[in-house]
Amino acid sequence: MTDQPPAERPESPEERTIAFPAVRDAEPAPVAGSPAADGAPAQATGADDREAAEAPPAGERDAVPPGAEDGGDAAGTGTPDAAEQPAAEAEDSGATPQPEAGESGATPQPEAGEAREQDAGQTGADGVRVREEALPSEVSAALTNALAELRAAVQALHFGLDMPGAEEARKAQAALLAQIDNYVIPRVRYSTAPALIVVAGSTGAGKSTLVNTIAGKRVAVTGVRRPTTSIPVLVCHPDDHDWYARGELLSGVPKYEGQQADAGPDGIILASSDQLPRGIALLDTPDIDSVVEQNHEIAHRMLDAADLWMFVTTAARYADAPSWGLLRRAKERNARLIIVVSRVPAKSRDVILKHYGRMLDEYGLGDVERFVIHETTVRDGRLADEEIADLRAWLSEFSADDRRREAAVKATLNGVFNSFKSRLPALARHLEAQVALRADLRADVDAAYMGAIAEIDEATRNGSLLQGEALARWQDFAGSGDLMRTIQLRRGGKGRQRSPERLQALRSAMAKALEAVILSAAQRATEEVAQRWGQRAGVGDRLVTPALGRPADDFAERTSASVAAWQDYVTELMRTEGVAKRSVAKIVSFDIDSLALIFMVGLLGYGTSDVADGKGALPQRLLRRLLGAESLRNISAKARSDLRARIRLLFDEEMLRYVDALDSAGIPDEAAATRLYQATYNLEAAR
């Protein structure tokens, strides 16, 4: 069971492999006898050590490949492929195989900015040389800046409107931020640091039992109760413990030592076992199909930080939808993957593995390495050691082979980078949808209140305002002689102006009529907004509160004040601009308040006051003859424009209530999507 070298696997057109060695902060050389720096994998030195490293591990796999009957080889079992035999023969003959260019095993030339091997005198705890590789400064700066820009762009996204898909977008945003912080940035800086193998699978697959068996002791809770694992458990070699406890990998996740009861729901438990090889760690996760939603969210979050995915399934559940959902995700991310099939009856082994192998072949995962655990008895939360002999040997080989482990880490990291090409634009598109929806909701408000203004404008032009009490007061005022008394012949310059009670009653009735038109239009506008927003199911209907279903409580009071202020403005307009024609002014004087009120009746009750001679209602004819056509036209335009402005101001204050409701849901930044697209492009350029 050997892996193909990474250079032999062809890349798809959408992939771009990045190869970068590790960078470490400045630190003193490790002291002989102390743990290897940061748990870095050791390299054997000397002929004896090299021969020991090349020797096959104890417990050579002798399992029969499930496809042996029909000539097929099962991935993860059997002998090396024919393509790999020349390399093995070269090793047996003493020849040193030359690594391919770009692989971590190649000896770099000591050029400026490139990786360099540490002095041979620096050794780790096991007596072998520790190699530190520095990332070239220009590459490190480009990737670091690109990742920082990308993280800021993702964090700036805000999905405030509860439109379809908003909750999924928020979860995707949180997952991206966690993956960048907990995995991508640490792996860019420390590509050769200890590898994290996340153990995932469906309910009852035996993940915790498998982890306990590999660790050689009970580190994870097992049992028949489901779900068994609710908090992830990370177990590693004691020499690697500090790296996982204090290192940058999973730095955003709280870590706890000791019992599970002491851990928080969002943390992980750390454990150590010298049964695990140096350079790797196993992370036991909750079930991917757990009935507790939080559990499978934790499982997927841990997988986002994995260097290698170990998928555990059973002979009875390998075809379940959740299992294939996880495999699909691993394939989409191009993650390094191995599969463990547990609880396999000995009699059905060949049939089950053949069928599962065909399913994996059809799905494009036929080359994934697979391990089999037979149906057996579990004692003290562990399996018999011989059941995992093949898997333990594979893990030992994986940990000891720097090139192989680094290739797996880089393949998974490149898969994460490639997944950004689809995940980031998807977030940007959803933000664009939020911006567009907010604009539509705001347009609904504008349309409703613009319609209300048009309705009021029509009511003040078609004469419908002069009815009911306003019409009765006008007829009383005109028929009683008070209208003519407002106009007096000059008699020696002495004329007495009056303000009869009928004049005040008419003024009040006209104000109430105008207020009623405005209030009615405002009420219809609020109802229209509620109707328009309600048609946007799942979004607008959640924003419409009972208070938004009617005008504001003080709207009537503000309307009354605005109408009274407009009447005062018209009176002042008459005083300053209502100059009578010279021929009339010589013999006639008039009361300004009365003339202003007559003007309002003509403007609002009979439409335009600019009529031809001898035509139109009484107020219009009277005003034209007193003021002149040009003066009357100017005063009418100014009075109507001022009234419209005051009504618009009233409605603007009403519309602000809806804008506040939209703002309370969060204002999406229209430029955030553009910044995210740009950050994605910059990251690709930095790679």
Side-chain angles (χ1 to χ4, degrees):
M1 293 188 303
T2 59
D3 291 334
Q4 283 187 339
E8 296 181 8
R9 185 180 62 82
E11 295 180 348
S12 68
E14 293 297 323
E15 291 180 327
R16 181 187 302 166
T17 300
I18 59 173
F20 40 80
V23 59
R24 298 194 179 194
D25 297 333
E27 58 185 32
V31 181
S34 64
D38 285 335
Q43 288 185 325
T45 58
D48 295 340
D49 292 338
R50 183 166 58 253
E51 290 175 1
E54 293 173 355
E60 184 69 24
R61 312 173 201 30
D62 55 359
V64 179
E69 291 82 353
D70 51 6
D73 291 334
T77 59
T79 60
D81 295 335
E84 299 171 348
Q85 291 177 358
E89 294 173 359
E91 292 174 358
D92 293 337
S93 62
T96 303
Q98 297 298 322
E100 296 183 14
E103 294 181 348
S104 61
T107 303
Q109 296 299 323
E111 297 180 0
E114 292 186 353
R116 301 186 180 182
E117 212 172 59
Q118 297 297 314
D119 191 35
Q122 298 179 3
T123 57
D126 50 1
V128 297
R129 185 171 54 192
V130 177
R131 184 183 61 195
E132 291 187 3
E133 296 179 340
L135 194 66
S137 59
E138 63 276 9
V139 176
S140 176
L143 278 175
T144 300
N145 293 338
L147 285 170
E149 179 186 358
L150 178 65
R151 190 191 185 286
V154 173
Q155 192 172 29
L157 302 180
H158 183 75
F159 307 99
L161 297 175
D162 289 328
M163 60 185 298
E167 185 60 29
E168 290 75 9
R170 296 185 194 108
K171 291 180 179 180
Q173 178 190 21
L176 275 167
L177 289 174
Q179 190 170 34
I180 291 172
D181 291 339
N182 295 330
Y183 177 70
V184 176
I185 292 177
R187 272 300 170 219
V188 166
R189 296 186 61 192
Y190 301 99
S191 63
T192 57
L196 180 63
I197 302 175
V198 173
V199 183
S202 54
T203 301
K207 302 181 296 297
S208 299
T209 301
L210 179 62
V211 171
N212 288 340
T213 307
I214 297 174
K217 62 180 181 179
R218 194 184 186 96
V219 295
V221 178
T222 61
V224 296
R225 183 178 61 86
R226 298 289 178 262
T228 303
T229 303
S230 58
I231 300 177
V233 178
L234 188 150
V235 57
C236 62
H237 191 277
D239 291 349
D240 297 331
H241 184 274
D242 285 347
W243 162 252
Y244 290 104
R246 302 178 180 87
E248 295 185 23
L249 196 68
L250 293 172
S251 59
V253 180
K255 301 177 179 68
Y256 302 89
E257 302 278 356
Q259 298 299 319
Q260 183 169 348
D262 301 330
D266 296 328
I268 60 175
I269 299 172
L270 295 181
S272 300
S273 171
D274 54 10
Q275 295 293 313
L276 259 75
R278 295 181 180 86
I280 65 171
L282 299 180
L283 181 59
D284 183 24
T285 62
D287 305 328
I288 59 171
D289 57 349
S290 173
V291 294
V292 181
E293 183 178 359
Q294 182 184 18
N295 285 356
H296 57 76
E297 289 179 355
I298 293 174
H300 285 101
R301 190 166 68 247
M302 294 299 104
L303 284 169
D304 284 341
D307 296 310
L308 186 144
W309 297 21
M310 181 186 292
F311 173 61
V312 183
T313 186
T314 66
R317 304 195 60 181
Y318 64 83
D320 289 356
S323 299
W324 286 96
L326 187 142
L327 293 176
R328 181 181 66 252
R329 184 172 181 178
K331 182 180 178 182
E332 291 172 351
R333 302 283 178 87
N334 195 30
R336 188 71 167 82
L337 175 70
I338 62 174
I339 297 175
V340 177
V341 185
S342 67
R343 299 181 182 175
V344 178
K347 295 181 180 180
S348 307
R349 171 193 169 99
D350 293 344
V351 175
I352 291 172
L353 296 185
K354 281 183 181 180
H355 180 245
Y356 193 31
R358 285 195 298 268
M359 294 178 69
L360 292 171
D361 285 337
E362 293 173 359
Y363 202 67
L365 295 175
D367 58 345
V368 173
E369 297 189 71
R370 301 186 287 277
F371 300 89
V372 177
I373 297 176
H374 296 95
E375 194 170 27
T376 185
T377 303
V378 177
R379 291 185 176 87
D380 192 25
R382 289 186 288 169
L383 300 165
D385 287 341
E386 57 267 19
E387 288 294 334
I388 65 160
D390 292 349
L391 179 58
R392 188 186 295 279
W394 186 92
L395 291 173
S396 298
E397 293 175 3
F398 182 76
S399 67
D401 191 337
D402 288 350
R403 292 171 50 193
R404 185 178 181 185
R405 186 176 65 257
E406 187 175 350
V409 169
K410 290 178 180 177
T412 302
L413 182 58
N414 275 300
V416 173
F417 278 127
N418 290 331
S419 73
F420 288 170
K421 297 177 184 178
S422 59
R423 296 162 69 190
L424 294 172
L427 279 182
R429 287 191 297 270
H430 194 88
L431 182 68
E432 291 169 341
Q434 290 255 329
V435 173
L437 177 59
R438 188 179 189 278
D440 291 341
L441 292 171
R442 179 60 193 269
D444 290 341
V445 178
D446 292 340
Y449 279 92
M450 289 303 295
I453 291 175
E455 178 185 334
I456 296 171
D457 192 58
E458 179 65 20
T460 59
R461 290 180 182 275
N462 61 14
S464 61
L465 188 143
L466 191 62
Q467 58 184 351
E469 182 182 0
L471 180 59
R473 293 295 184 183
W474 165 244
Q475 291 173 343
D476 184 40
F477 178 76
S480 64
D482 286 344
L483 174 60
M484 298 309 299
R485 292 190 190 97
T486 62
I487 304 173
Q488 300 176 359
L489 296 176
R490 289 185 179 275
R491 298 175 182 176
K494 297 179 181 179
R496 186 163 58 90
Q497 298 181 355
R498 302 179 180 181
S499 180
E501 294 180 359
R502 291 186 180 89
L503 185 66
Q504 296 300 324
L506 177 58
R507 179 185 175 94
S508 177
M510 290 298 296
K512 290 180 179 179
L514 183 56
E515 291 172 18
V517 170
I518 297 173
L519 290 172
S520 177
Q523 179 62 44
R524 280 192 287 273
T526 58
E527 293 173 355
E528 183 178 348
V529 172
Q531 181 183 6
R532 285 172 177 261
W533 282 15
Q535 291 173 351
R536 303 183 186 279
V539 184
D541 53 350
R542 299 179 186 177
L543 297 174
V544 178
T545 61
L548 292 179
R550 61 179 183 273
D553 295 337
D554 64 341
F555 181 72
E557 182 180 349
R558 289 187 286 110
T559 300
S560 178
S562 294
V563 170
W566 178 75
Q567 289 181 323
D568 293 340
Y569 170 77
V570 171
T571 302
E572 185 63 24
L573 200 61
M574 280 293 176
R575 179 176 292 109
T576 57
E577 299 190 18
V579 180
K581 293 188 296 184
R582 291 182 180 181
S583 59
V584 176
K586 292 179 181 179
I587 60 174
V588 176
S589 65
F590 47 81
D591 178 48
I592 293 296
D593 292 338
S594 300
L595 192 62
L597 187 56
I598 295 171
F599 172 80
M600 295 177 203
V601 172
L603 183 69
L604 303 179
Y606 294 95
T608 178
S609 298
D610 187 16
V611 297
D613 257 344
K615 297 181 180 180
L618 175 61
Q620 298 164 314
R621 297 197 306 270
L622 179 60
L623 291 169
R624 190 177 187 281
R625 289 176 181 177
L626 287 175
L627 304 178
E630 185 65 25
S631 178
L632 180 59
R633 191 162 35 246
N634 291 338
I635 294 173
S636 298
K638 291 181 179 180
R640 191 175 291 279
S641 176
D642 185 78
L643 177 60
R644 187 180 292 111
R646 293 177 189 275
I647 295 173
R648 182 59 187 266
L649 182 60
L650 285 171
F651 284 177
D652 283 347
E653 293 176 357
E654 286 293 288
M655 293 164 64
L656 282 176
R657 299 190 302 143
Y658 297 94
V659 175
D660 290 342
L662 288 175
D663 292 349
S664 66
I667 305 175
D669 185 355
E670 298 183 10
T674 302
R675 289 196 296 269
L676 185 59
Y677 284 125
Q678 185 62 47
T680 306
Y681 173 81
N682 292 342
L683 179 63
E684 285 299 303
R687 291 176 61 192

